[in-house]
Amino acid sequence: VDFARRLPDYQERVERTLDRWLPPESEAPQRLHAAMRYAVLGGGKRVRPLLMYATGETLGIPPGRLDGPAAAVEIIHAYSLVHDDLPAMDDDDLRRGRPTCHKAFDEATAILAGDALQVLAFEILTRDRELQVEPKARLRMLEMLAEASGSYGMAGGQAIDLGAVGQALDQVELEDMHRKKTGALIRASVLLAATGVPGLTPDGYDALDLYARRVGLAFQIHDDILDVEGDTATLGKQQGADRARNKPTFPSVLGMDAAKDLAQQLHAEAVDALRPLGASAEPLRWMSEHIVTRRN
Amino acid sequence: VDFARRLPDYQERVERTLDRWLPPESEAPQRLHAAMRYAVLGGGKRVRPLLMYATGETLGIPPGRLDGPAAAVEIIHAYSLVHDDLPAMDDDDLRRGRPTCHKAFDEATAILAGDALQVLAFEILTRDRELQVEPKARLRMLEMLAEASGSYGMAGGQAIDLGAVGQALDQVELEDMHRKKTGALIRASVLLAATGVPGLTPDGYDALDLYARRVGLAFQIHDDILDVEGDTATLGKQQGADRARNKPTFPSVLGMDAAKDLAQQLHAEAVDALRPLGASAEPLRWMSEHIVTRRN
């Protein structure tokens, strides 16, 4: 597929944009800026930006207009990993095949780097000049990013996740946790690209929303499966960490076969949701497939 | 002075607004929402909101239009205290006369509550309907809040502060640290109120900016003095904590007498800066006096 061939270009594009928006290490406070760059650059699958560019191809949006929003969602994701990895949270030493931020720097710097990265994401959406949308659409995008990141979104999902250690969740509770923890920001990645697009009908927007919800959940289920079946070198993080921590996961709650079936079913539903958008949605179909077959 | 008499009303107004914007404890994730409310409500001098309302009186802005921005800056301030108090940072047990957030809850919850509070501040500025300014002015306000909070503002100042423990800073370095750590958000409190105000001239805006810079630094110097001369019960936090931690402060760098002189000089400069605004700036004059005479 064409989108697969363009993947390296998009990934390079993401690195370039992130590098441009991140404060340079030469400027004070240098250690903080170094930690922010360490946490964001050089690694990461960039799934959220890729979903955004795939949505952009589907809707005919030039990629340059999505660079800022793509950087913003990736920076929110990167900051969340820095805080999640802290000793008081998941206490992880390895991330993207390297020491976690608090291991490479120190805990206090990691906390502040996460804090400053979160602000940076909002700053990018606020001031990015290449994002050529009306101020009202921009404010709607900022609201979306806030909802996806806050206590009813990602941060809330992480809180539920921490409280769930050693608990027996049922499938409904597990899905609610992951809708917040991972799903909200993945959904925002698609919907931010679809905001302020003149030609997009409400039906088209709803189709993308449904697609993004299905893909968001499929992503997390596949992550849970990789935690069991992957290996540490390929994953770039400790394999088996969820199990070691006694966290409820889709394989542990549903059984491995049912978890795999569910991921495939969600992928099928995601592809199905795209039907109103026609052939131009091929990049999003490819991304959905990629998300449930990736090895890290 | 009239503003002093209206202080209790404004403080009540702040509590009401914060209560309204904070997620209710009845909604999941409840422990996270409880920690967010604990960190923000019931305590705090509300200096930043008061500066905002004092600017509002000076410029003839109805207080209802400033409720959202006032809540936003106070929430940023509250989140920064939660993270600063963490064991990996200043490791404080007492704040506003009560156990710090990580003591009352736990470290992970305190980290996430801070994260979610920071988002909430941006969300309020994005969606508050009573803030009747044009979308462009609102975006400028969001940009200001981001600059004041990020790695070149508050988070950056905190990083410098951590790196300065046991270091010999000179007055220039100390002022730079505090301009970022405390000054940036205090300045934003004044300038957010002054954004999108139709009748305000560039000279008037610059006068407010200069006032805010002087008051921001005076605030921190007085804080350093209180750390030496105050008592724990009145302060609501551990007296002598900076000294115990071997942090450079204005009294330790300049000597106590020179620190007090500098605070008075900055207060005089702040009042002087207000001259172009005439008699209507009385509330801001009162706030400057209040800031360098307060006992906690």
Side-chain angles (χ1 to χ4, degrees), chain A residues 23 27 29 33 79 83 88-89 107-108 112 115 118-119 126-127 135 138-139 142-143 146-147 151-152 156 159 162, chain B residues 23 27 29 33 79 83 88-89 107-108 112 115 118-119 126-127 135 138-139 142-143 146-147 151-152 156 158 162:
Chain A
E27 284 181 16
H33 288 162
Y79 118 73
H83 281 190
M89 307 265 279
E107 270 187 65
L112 288 169
D115 292 346
Q118 178 163 233
V119 187
T126 303
R127 72 182 350 166
R138 195 185 281 265
L139 286 167
L142 280 156
E143 200 175 334
E147 280 178 5
S151 76
Y152 294 99
L162 283 167
Chain B
E27 284 181 16
H33 288 162
Y79 118 72
H83 282 190
M89 307 268 276
E107 271 187 65
L112 289 171
D115 292 345
Q118 177 163 235
V119 188
T126 304
R127 71 178 356 164
R138 195 186 281 265
L139 286 167
L142 281 157
E143 199 174 336
E147 278 178 8
S151 77
Y152 294 100
Q158 178 65 10
L162 283 167

Side-chain angles (χ1 to χ4, degrees), chain B residues 47-49 51-52 55 69 73 141 143-149 152-154 178-195 205-220 284 291:
Chain B
V47 168
R48 292 155 191 80
L51 272 170
M52 202 175 276
T55 309
V73 293
M141 293 172 77
E143 199 174 336
M144 273 182 193
L145 189 69
E147 278 178 8
S149 312
Y152 294 100
M154 192 184 70
H178 287 305
R179 194 164 27 243
K180 290 172 174 152
K181 192 184 164 190
T182 334
L185 194 61
I186 286 182
R187 180 174 170 239
S189 304
V190 171
L191 294 186
L192 283 172
T195 300
Y205 187 89
D206 289 347
L208 289 170
D209 191 1
L210 183 58
Y211 164 85
R213 288 169 190 268
R214 294 296 178 268
V215 161
L217 194 55
F219 178 90
Q220 184 60 48
L284 287 172
I291 278 168

Side-chain angles (χ1 to χ4, degrees), chain B:
Chain B
V1 192
D2 281 352
F3 193 73
R5 259 189 279 138
R6 289 190 290 279
L7 224 55
D9 288 344
Y10 278 126
Q11 275 161 329
E12 206 187 292
R13 191 171 188 111
V14 174
E15 297 307 307
R16 221 165 40 225
T17 312
L18 291 169
D19 175 62
R20 187 159 47 86
W21 280 106
L22 283 161
E25 272 185 54
S26 57
E27 284 181 16
Q30 290 164 349
R31 188 175 169 82
L32 178 67
H33 288 162
M36 291 169 72
R37 300 182 70 85
Y38 180 86
V40 174
L41 297 175
K45 303 178 285 290
R46 314 304 188 197
V47 168
R48 292 155 191 80
L50 291 174
L51 272 170
M52 202 175 276
Y53 290 118
T55 309
E57 285 198 9
T58 299
L59 301 177
I61 305 163
R65 286 176 50 178
L66 298 175
D67 288 342
V73 293
E74 187 64 14
I75 285 171
I76 291 281
H77 172 59
Y79 118 72
S80 79
L81 297 180
V82 172
H83 282 190
D84 289 2
D85 287 338
L86 286 167
M89 307 268 276
D90 286 350
D91 194 14
D92 277 312
D93 296 347
L94 194 66
R95 171 69 69 182
R96 295 174 172 172
R98 299 185 304 176
T100 46
C101 189
H102 67 274
K103 283 281 169 188
F105 293 84
D106 56 82
E107 271 187 65
T109 301
I111 293 168
L112 289 171
D115 292 345
L117 285 171
Q118 177 163 235
V119 188
L120 180 58
F122 285 94
E123 194 174 347
I124 291 170
L125 266 198
T126 304
R127 71 178 356 164
D128 176 27
R129 287 181 192 285
E130 286 165 70
L131 172 61
Q132 288 150 17
V133 297
E134 291 298 306
K136 274 194 181 174
R138 195 186 281 265
L139 286 167
R140 214 156 56 236
M141 293 172 77
L142 281 157
E143 199 174 336
M144 273 182 193
L145 189 69
E147 278 178 8
S149 312
S151 77
Y152 294 100
M154 192 184 70
Q158 178 65 10
I160 298 172
D161 189 57
L162 283 167
V165 170
Q167 302 286 310
L169 298 190
D170 62 24
Q171 188 177 344
V172 173
E173 293 168 320
L174 195 63
E175 287 189 11
D176 174 63
M177 170 171 101
H178 287 305
R179 194 164 27 243
K180 290 172 174 152
K181 192 184 164 190
T182 334
L185 194 61
I186 286 182
R187 180 174 170 239
S189 304
V190 171
L191 294 186
L192 283 172
T195 300
V197 179
L200 185 64
T201 64
D203 281 355
Y205 187 89
D206 289 347
L208 289 170
D209 191 1
L210 183 58
Y211 164 85
R213 288 169 190 268
R214 294 296 178 268
V215 161
L217 194 55
F219 178 90
Q220 184 60 48
I221 296 171
H222 192 68
D223 236 39
D224 285 359
I225 294 168
L226 287 176
D227 185 67
V228 180
E229 299 194 339
D231 62 273
T232 301
T234 312
L235 292 176
K237 59 183 176 184
Q238 183 59 50
Q239 181 272 333
D242 289 339
R243 213 169 10 173
R245 229 171 263 130
N246 201 15
K247 277 197 182 185
T249 65
F250 283 94
S252 75
V253 170
L254 305 180
M256 181 55 86
D257 288 348
K260 286 182 177 176
D261 286 350
L262 183 55
Q264 283 305 320
Q265 184 196 320
L266 289 163
H267 164 49
E269 288 176 15
V271 168
D272 202 49
L274 295 171
R275 212 175 296 170
L277 296 161
S280 68
E282 187 51 38
L284 287 172
R285 279 185 205 98
W286 188 88
M287 278 301 296
S288 178
E289 170 91 30
H290 174 64
I291 278 168
V292 295
T293 52
R294 69 202 155 87
R295 297 185 53 223
N296 73 351

